[in-house]
Amino acid sequence: MTITLEVNGQRHVVDATGRRLLAVLRDDLELLGTKLACGEGACGACAVLLDGRSVNSCLLLAEAAAGHEIVTIEGLSTGRASALQDAFVAEDALQCGFCTPGQVVSATALLEQTPGPTREQIHEAMAGNLCRCGAYPKIERAILRAAGDA
Amino acid sequence: MSSYARPASVDEALELLGHEGAVVLAGGTDLAGQIDRGITTPALLVDLQDAGLGGVSADGDGVRIGATVTLAELARTDLLTPYAAVVTAAALAASPLLRNQGTVGGNLCQHTRCWYYRGEEWQCWLGGGDTCFAQIGDHRKHGLEEGDCISAHPSDLAPALAACGATIVVRSADGERELPLLGLYRRPTDENRSLVTLAVGEMVVAARLPAPPDASVYLRTGERRTFSFPLVSVAAARRGDALTLAAAGVANIPRALDPAEPLAGLPGHPQSAWKRTVLETLVERASQAVQG
Amino acid sequence: MTARFVRTQKELEGRYEDVWVLVDEADDVETWAPDADLALVGRPAPRQDGAARAAGRVRFTVDVHLAGMLHAAVLRSPVAHGRVRSLDLEAALAVTGVRAAIGPESELSLTTRAPLLAAEPAYAGQPIAVVAADTPEAARAGLDALALDLEVLPHVVDPQQALNEQRFTADPSDDARGDAEAALAVADVRVELSLDTPAHVQTPLEPHAAVASWDGDQLTAWVSTQGMFSAREELATAFGLRKDDVRVRTEFVGGGFGAKQGAGFEGLAAAELSRATGRPVRLVNDRHAEQLDGGRRAATRQTVRLGARRDGTITAIDADAVIAMGQGGWVMPVLIPARTLYHCADVRALTFPVKINLRAQNAFRAPGVMEGTAAFEQAIDELALALDLDPLELRRRNHTDVDQVSGLPYSSKHLLACYDRAAELAGWAGREELRASRGDGLLRGMGCATQIWWGGGGPPSHATVRLDADGHAHVVTGIQDIGTGTFTGAQIVAAEELGLPLDHVRVTGGDTGPNVYGPLAGGSQTTPSVMPAVRSASAKVRKILLQLAGDVFEIAAGDLEISNGRIRSRDGAIDAAVTEVTDKLGNATIDGSGSRGPNPEGFVVNTFGCQIAQIAVDPGLGEVRVERIVAVHDVGRIVNPLTASSQVEGGVLQGMAFALSEELVVDPTTGVPVNAHLDDYKIPTIADVPEIVIDFPHVPDANLPNVGSKGLGEPPIVPTAAAIANAFAHATGRRAAGLPLTRARVLEALA
């Protein structure tokens, strides 16, 4: 089915038949920041914002995503996201960087909903974004820092 | 490859469901995996997001929860605060990303968890084959009941809703019926391997909760602090002196526990028997927690 | 450069080989003094490319999209052991969009020692055929069309069975010194411990991946690898090419942890299919393939017997290890901890590498030594208990400054300082009070473990530095930054030596094109191998720059110094920006190249450390919660404390997961792993993270010239699981029969 997707504020017409949103983002729209790491919703590397909430784009059917506002890591380049990204760099909240776009997406949604999160709230909100390199302690610090600077 | 439709009403959805190979799509968080692993091959996906099945509303003394309400919405809805077990279960299920997509209906109807059932390399009994590989193989995370399938059902919401006395509203082209929550489930048999009592053309449209219990709690243990299927979980609710218990992870469907004999009918298997100890602990703690 | 060839020993994870290395006689860099006041080295600095990573702008191998690129899909064995009866390549080729299909009988243009594709697969997940098509969907359709018919053959996945049937991948080895058996017999105190350690899967989030593209007879391959020069060598050999005709690019790698060596099956298959079709080919493991065939740390069963005198002196060590190797692989040094951690003259170490129907084991962060430490350090704690000695004190009493296998002294060893510091940070003195109940129903305990690993690096390793008219330097290395932050380390060292601000230095690597050789990112060798080369190259450029400055300011170069981008004379008369000299370059550049010198002779270069874990056990649920890990590691000079602490956190978390939850489980009936996906193989989430307290002795290794750094990549994963297991024993008074400490194991131990 051909559908219209709204991604990062722009509309795209794509052939979405049977495809997941992640494949359309990466293969059709060349938005390569969102990653395929597991394809089963277990790691969060594919996280995008759907109407402001962080979801696994590897599970989401592109057809089901039509009519919603989709924001990828590429769309998070101003305002809070940028301060968050700065905090990630300053705190070294990343190592290989593969999971980082997903982390930033989920953290952005968290700070939007809860501007001053506790450590507990950060753990709850970020638990769906795995990091095999183990940057977690610093991811937590980066989010607290960005929240504090806001 | 599946076709896709997004009906604008429940009636339209039911009509589409009448098509051969049609399957409902809610959040898709379990269905996507079923499709990818070849467990389900739908000809038509009926997307329920615009069919008017959302919303949590007061319902007499109780609450009505639309089938496509997401777990995240459920966890933050004030109307549900008096049903502590339900809120906890919704907040602890899966991951925050999955909770943003996964729905009440989907969570209740999700397929069971067993690495043989879900694995591409085995065609197990539950999947239509002849052998329960778990019973002859590695069943360390599996259930405690005896039977043809010893998988462990992973729904957090089911025991919590069940303990709080919830019912399920099911609709078909022929009409509506309501049944106790645990009535949604059946143990699979040789003739019919399905774990739910839904007939073809039927779908869950809502869960209804009666007036809140005096107290309720949901306790679970998983394989890591969070983002894990419940290895064992217990929901407890007290109304006056009456205690209701339900559990996940101990049978191939969510099931009630007898407060007098919680381990009855749950002898365990050699590698899963450890769950009996954990179940005992959770029953004790949950019961104490609701005594107040 | 005045060059000479020198014969020296190159060490990688305890394996030594003699190599010729190119040495620069003109390299007169003076080793930094331990108390040198360095402007940048030793100070925290954010990653050079951090902003790009945080914005999702960096391109990993999986992100490479080339025009006309084909997508490859791999048919993998669904059984542990089988024989292909038929495979319909023609049917696959007939599918619309499929451009190539190869199977075990196909004639390939490449040659490899072992066949690329298996006619008789010996493990579930082994590649049987590959299809390349215009789209991923067409490739999958092509796979379906192959209609694989497989005869199922018997398999062996139980290591005990393999041992009983004498199935080995290599000869069992017996490393002995003295007479352990006799010494055990007369020991005052004896303990024995048998333990299982799990199969542990690297699980990098970016799976193994490659994109290959030919231009005539020249091959460019993007490979998600830790060793681009090994990949280049493999590809050149396979296709009969000169190394110069192969370019491997691996600028960004989404995690490796040891699993990604050389070109891999992905690089070879992609290159083969690209040659056959004349189009670029992309081959990426899906997650299931990654977990089945990406590699793993092999499971072991170890038995340790220790003998000691009443005064705590260890007098006998007798250890054996059965390693569930899979189909082959390097036999990891599981018993090195037994043989080298402590002083002992009578030691026996028996290793049985058994052959089972699983993929060959490969490297996973501190291979062998990590799982060996997990068992051996628990036995040491049992000995401490039997002797009624404090576990740290027992370790101190058996300390050695001499490598027990070679008899050579260590180049540096500050382990005793690590014990003291870790004990201080952990509150070790209050260990017994910790066990007192806090009324929350949890059992608490504290345990320690010693870390040993290699970390000296070595030649060959080169770097070039080029300074331009803007006063900006470009450092070219031959390394891959797999998340370790080594690019940034090189940036810091170069900026320090050049006297430039950090952001005036840019480091590149991850490309064999420039032919500047660097070692693979493994064995904790990058920092000690590459930083000296970078510094030497920078020193040459600095020398030339000062000479040119001398020309410009009409003063002797020896009277000038550079720091923070400014050139100053000793008498203070001149204070100018570097650009006042370099802007006269125009389009010319000042170039320098440097090499890592030979390793010091007569020493063994190891790293050492101590970790202490504090845990809480919920006995009703069998749940173990790690509350705190203290990690103190002696790795010589720390170049960047910010990225160094990240390495420690990463290693600790992987070690913790090995102790608590990670285990690749194999179905006994079919021999196929049951949890080769991410839903049932649980790696930690942010909610599982304990408090991690980190420190270093910060004493440069005086015997490692130039920079004095040892490698840090692997040391942090080595002792964590042992420390947690020892804490468990302290908390509960029981020891589990193995790792991980699953609910079942914990409840069984407590029963």
Side-chain angles (χ1 to χ4, degrees):
Chain A
M1 181 187 277
T2 301
I3 57 169
T4 304
L5 286 177
E6 196 198 307
V7 183
N8 297 333
Q10 298 197 342
R11 321 186 91 225
H12 301 270
V13 177
V14 294
D15 173 13
T17 314
R19 299 166 71 208
R20 304 287 161 82
L21 178 63
L22 179 62
V24 170
L25 292 173
R26 287 181 57 83
D27 299 340
D28 294 21
L29 306 183
E30 293 284 322
L31 292 168
L32 299 171
T34 313
K35 307 300 184 197
L36 172 63
C38 79
E40 30 176 318
C43 76
C46 67
V48 298
L49 297 180
L50 192 76
D51 301 328
R53 304 215 178 263
S54 190
V55 298
N56 295 112
S57 66
C58 72
L59 298 178
L60 184 56
L61 239 69
E63 286 153 314
H68 295 273
E69 255 181 56
I70 300 159
V71 178
T72 69
I73 183 71
E74 288 83 358
L76 297 179
S77 55
T78 56
R80 175 164 278 139
S82 181
L84 184 64
Q85 284 157 347
D86 287 345
F88 264 65
V89 176
E91 294 291 341
D92 207 38
L94 53 98
Q95 294 186 30
C96 81
F98 200 74
C99 76
T100 310
Q103 304 280 358
V104 171
V105 165
S106 293
T108 299
L110 167 65
L111 291 179
E112 205 60 51
Q113 281 142 42
T114 314
T118 61
R119 290 183 63 220
E120 184 70 34
Q121 285 171 319
I122 292 173
H123 293 177
E124 273 165 26
M126 301 299 293
N129 289 87
L130 299 184
C131 171
R132 187 41 159 177
C133 295
Y136 296 133
K138 294 180 169 148
I139 290 172
E140 183 189 295
R141 280 218 281 281
I143 295 172
L144 286 170
R145 180 175 174 143
D149 290 345
Chain B
M1 187 139 312
S2 318
S3 301
Y4 173 90
R6 198 191 292 191
S9 70
V10 178
D11 287 331
E12 215 188 301
L14 288 169
E15 203 242 292
L16 287 164
L17 216 53
H19 293 209
E20 179 85 39
V23 163
V24 296
L25 167 67
T29 54
D30 193 46
L31 185 60
Q34 291 173 33
I35 292 170
D36 292 341
R37 305 276 185 100
I39 293 170
T40 306
T41 352
L44 170 65
L45 293 165
V46 181
D47 188 337
L48 300 178
Q49 62 178 288
D50 290 339
L53 290 171
V56 181
S57 54
D59 184 7
D61 289 333
V63 176
R64 182 189 174 95
I65 307 167
T68 60
V69 171
T70 67
L71 296 172
E73 281 161 8
L74 202 62
R76 60 173 180 259
T77 301
D78 289 335
L79 272 175
L80 287 157
T81 312
Y83 307 85
V86 174
V87 172
T88 304
L92 288 180
S95 76
L97 286 80
L98 291 169
R99 293 195 290 270
N100 282 333
Q101 276 298 100
T103 64
V104 171
N107 187 277
L108 293 175
C109 295
Q110 72 181 289
H111 286 208
T112 190
R113 280 284 147 183
C114 163
W115 41 36
Y116 297 104
Y117 176 67
R118 296 269 175 174
E120 301 99 308
E121 290 91 349
W122 301 271
Q123 174 73 329
C124 75
W125 180 86
L126 187 68
D130 301 315
T131 315
C132 172
F133 289 95
Q135 294 189 63
I136 60 171
D138 199 303
H139 52 263
R140 62 182 71 186
K141 297 192 212 179
H142 291 61
L144 298 172
E145 283 188 356
E146 283 168 337
D148 293 309
C149 170
I150 62 166
S151 65
H153 201 275
S155 170
D156 286 293
L157 214 50
L161 285 169
C164 290
T167 56
I168 285 291
V169 181
V170 172
R171 189 113 57 104
S172 73
D174 300 327
E176 201 171 270
R177 64 187 178 97
E178 192 168 342
L179 58 160
L181 188 120
L182 290 180
L184 177 62
Y185 302 99
R186 61 182 292 282
R187 286 176 182 71
T189 58
D190 259 331
E191 311 78 48
N192 180 1
R193 310 281 162 100
S194 173
L195 298 174
V196 294
T197 57
L198 298 173
V200 172
E202 277 195 318
M203 66 185 216
V204 174
V205 293
R208 293 182 66 219
L209 281 163
D214 295 336
S216 68
V217 77
Y218 181 68
L219 300 177
R220 75 197 305 271
T221 187
E223 287 179 80
R224 48 190 176 193
R225 282 300 264 285
T226 186
F227 194 5
S228 164
F229 297 105
L231 288 171
V232 185
S233 72
V234 170
R238 178 177 62 78
R239 294 178 191 271
D241 284 331
L243 184 66
T244 311
L245 299 173
V250 299
N252 54 33
I253 52 175
R255 56 163 285 166
L257 302 175
D258 177 357
E261 250 201 288
L263 294 179
L266 298 168
H269 301 272
Q271 298 155 28
S272 68
W274 62 270
K275 285 196 178 186
R276 287 169 53 90
T277 309
V278 173
L279 184 63
E280 255 180 342
T281 304
L282 289 178
V283 166
E284 195 188 307
R285 293 182 188 177
S287 307
Q288 268 185 21
V290 297
Q291 289 315 319
Chain C
M1 176 182 180
T2 359
R4 285 195 57 203
F5 274 131
V6 166
R7 201 126 177 88
T8 186
Q9 271 215 325
K10 178 181 157 54
E11 172 266 312
L12 175 62
E13 300 185 356
R15 287 177 292 174
Y16 293 88
E17 67 171 315
D18 283 335
V19 294
W20 285 103
V21 296
L22 191 63
V23 163
D24 182 0
E25 303 257 276
D27 187 344
D28 58 0
V29 165
E30 263 180 52
T31 301
W32 283 320
D35 57 356
D37 184 21
L38 301 172
L40 297 167
V41 171
R43 291 175 207 280
R47 288 170 203 251
Q48 173 185 256
D49 45 38
R53 286 183 207 247
R57 281 200 308 269
V58 303
R59 294 293 167 250
F60 297 84
T61 300
V62 293
D63 298 321
V64 174
H65 279 193
L66 301 177
M69 187 172 78
L70 296 174
H71 300 262
V74 183
L75 180 69
R76 293 178 179 273
S77 175
V79 301
H81 189 202
R83 189 176 295 123
V84 176
R85 279 197 285 241
S86 71
L87 195 66
D88 199 343
L89 294 173
E90 291 307 312
L93 285 165
V95 171
T96 309
V98 172
R99 306 294 170 190
I102 53 173
E105 311 304 319
S106 301
E107 228 178 87
L108 306 176
S109 57
L110 61 65
T111 14
T112 47
R113 256 199 339 254
L116 196 69
L117 299 168
E120 187 177 316
Y123 63 91
Q126 186 165 16
I128 294 173
V130 192
V131 164
D134 294 344
T135 64
E137 291 79 22
R140 275 195 295 274
L143 281 193
D144 290 339
L146 287 169
L148 171 70
D149 182 21
L150 205 55
E151 178 192 348
V152 180
L153 299 173
H155 64 269
V156 175
V157 288
D158 176 10
Q160 192 57 49
Q161 180 187 350
L163 183 67
N164 295 343
E165 294 173 11
Q166 304 269 291
R167 294 170 190 261
F168 297 119
T169 62
D171 289 334
S173 62
D174 185 350
D175 294 295
R177 60 181 188 258
D179 188 341
E181 203 171 313
L184 257 177
V186 301
D188 292 340
V189 173
R190 275 181 291 278
V191 295
E192 176 168 335
L193 192 63
S194 274
L195 289 167
D196 288 333
T197 67
H200 188 211
V201 185
Q202 295 90 339
T203 319
L205 286 192
E206 186 199 19
H208 281 72
V211 177
S213 178
W214 291 83
D215 182 4
D217 284 327
Q218 297 190 313
L219 170 64
T220 301
W222 285 261
V223 185
S224 187
T225 182
Q226 296 167 239
M228 60 187 186
F229 281 100
S230 321
R232 181 180 78 164
E233 172 114 25
E234 265 184 69
L235 289 165
T237 305
F239 290 95
L241 301 170
R242 288 182 51 246
K243 285 192 286 199
D244 219 29
D245 286 325
V246 178
R247 180 181 177 196
V248 177
R249 298 182 58 176
T250 181
E251 282 92 346
F252 295 97
V253 179
F257 317 114
K260 295 176 175 174
Q261 305 281 338
F265 165 80
E266 308 74 36
L268 292 166
E272 172 68 33
L273 288 166
S274 181
R275 191 129 213 219
T277 59
R279 289 168 64 174
V281 172
R282 173 184 195 261
L283 198 161
V284 176
N285 276 357
D286 62 32
R287 181 48 52 181
H288 189 42
E290 181 63 30
Q291 300 305 100
L292 280 176
D293 200 26
R296 76 185 179 290
R297 183 190 308 278
T300 72
R301 169 162 295 170
Q302 299 174 52
T303 302
V304 181
R305 292 152 72 210
L306 301 174
R309 283 200 287 271
R310 285 253 162 259
D311 67 2
T313 310
I314 297 171
T315 56
I317 298 173
D318 184 355
D320 62 67
V322 177
I323 307 175
M325 297 289 295
Q327 286 296 296
W330 178 40
V331 182
M332 303 304 180
V334 174
L335 297 179
I336 275 292
R339 296 169 65 201
T340 62
L341 269 177
Y342 306 110
H343 181 274
C344 184
D346 297 286
V347 175
R348 188 178 186 204
L350 269 174
T351 303
F352 299 95
V354 298
K355 188 170 193 175
I356 57 172
N357 290 103
L358 274 187
R359 186 222 196 270
Q361 90 155 325
N362 61 358
F364 185 171
R365 210 165 186 170
V369 170
M370 189 268 223
E371 55 269 39
T373 301
F376 187 78
E377 281 289 277
Q378 290 196 60
I380 290 289
D381 256 34
E382 285 297 291
L383 183 62
L385 202 62
L387 290 167
D388 197 21
L389 253 187
D390 176 284
L392 275 181
E393 183 54 31
L394 174 61
R395 289 166 168 84
R396 286 193 190 95
R397 286 192 193 174
N398 291 281
H399 179 89
T400 171
D401 285 312
V402 168
D403 172 53
Q404 292 289 288
V405 169
S406 66
L408 294 173
Y410 289 116
S411 62
S412 70
K413 182 172 183 177
H414 300 282
L415 179 58
L416 294 174
C418 291
Y419 287 146
D420 291 344
R421 184 63 176 143
E424 187 189 350
L425 290 169
W428 184 259
R431 195 170 169 252
E432 290 315 311
E433 286 80 67
L434 181 67
R435 296 177 75 195
S437 167
R438 289 184 201 176
D440 56 6
L442 301 176
L443 305 172
R444 283 187 172 76
M446 197 182 275
C448 71
T450 309
Q451 171 258 313
I452 192 170
W453 182 249
W454 296 278
S461 177
H462 306 279
T464 65
V465 175
R466 171 165 284 185
L467 186 66
D468 66 19
D470 292 335
H472 282 234
H474 176 201
V475 181
V476 178
T477 68
I479 60 177
Q480 306 77 199
D481 187 332
I482 61 173
T484 46
T486 44
F487 282 169
T488 310
Q491 186 195 23
I492 292 169
V493 167
E496 179 78 48
E497 187 61 35
L498 289 165
L500 295 176
L502 200 56
D503 58 6
H504 288 199
V505 177
R506 183 171 64 97
V507 174
T508 58
D511 185 349
T512 63
N515 209 23
V516 175
Y517 182 86
L520 63 89
S524 305
Q525 66 182 315
T526 301
T527 293
S529 303
V530 174
M531 301 311 149
V534 169
R535 187 174 168 217
S536 295
S538 305
K540 291 192 190 137
V541 170
R542 178 200 184 98
K543 209 179 220 173
I544 297 172
L545 176 59
L546 287 175
Q547 280 164 2
L548 293 176
D551 292 343
V552 168
F553 298 120
E554 291 170 348
I555 182 175
D559 289 333
L560 292 170
E561 47 193 17
I562 320 174
S563 73
N564 202 30
R566 298 199 69 81
I567 298 178
R568 294 184 185 85
S569 60
R570 289 188 206 287
D571 62 9
I574 293 164
D575 183 345
V578 162
T579 41
E580 279 196 42
V581 177
T582 59
D583 66 9
K584 288 155 184 56
L585 285 169
N587 287 316
T589 57
I590 304 172
D591 298 349
S593 68
S595 308
R596 166 62 149 85
N599 277 331
E601 291 191 18
F603 291 106
V604 167
V605 182
N606 275 25
T607 59
F608 305 91
C610 175
Q611 287 185 7
I612 295 177
Q614 177 177 320
I615 69 162
V617 181
D618 184 333
L621 300 178
E623 233 177 58
V624 175
R625 291 173 218 176
V626 179
E627 295 185 326
R628 202 153 176 263
I629 302 276
V630 170
V632 183
H633 293 276
D634 163 26
V635 292
R637 181 183 298 280
I638 304 275
V639 171
N640 185 351
L642 185 60
T643 51
S645 64
S646 297
Q647 281 297 289
V648 177
E649 285 160 354
V652 164
L653 287 173
Q654 287 175 350
M656 182 187 83
F658 178 84
L660 298 183
S661 64
E662 287 185 42
E663 179 175 8
L664 183 71
V665 178
V666 182
D667 172 43
T669 312
T670 58
V672 178
V674 287
N675 61 345
H677 286 277
L678 273 195
D679 59 355
D680 258 330
Y681 184 85
K682 300 280 200 261
I683 74 176
T685 75
I686 194 172
D688 296 301
V689 177
E691 185 192 353
I692 303 173
V693 178
I694 300 167
D695 204 359
F696 308 95
H698 289 288
V699 180
D701 188 323
N703 289 302
L704 286 182
N706 194 320
V707 176
S709 299
K710 299 189 275 192
L712 177 57
E714 286 154 303
I717 199 180
V718 170
T720 317
I724 290 171
N726 285 339
F728 179 82
H730 185 234
T732 64
R734 310 288 180 85
R735 208 164 275 280
L739 295 173
L741 294 172
T742 58
R743 307 274 181 284
R745 274 215 177 87
V746 169
L747 291 170
E748 196 184 345
L750 295 177

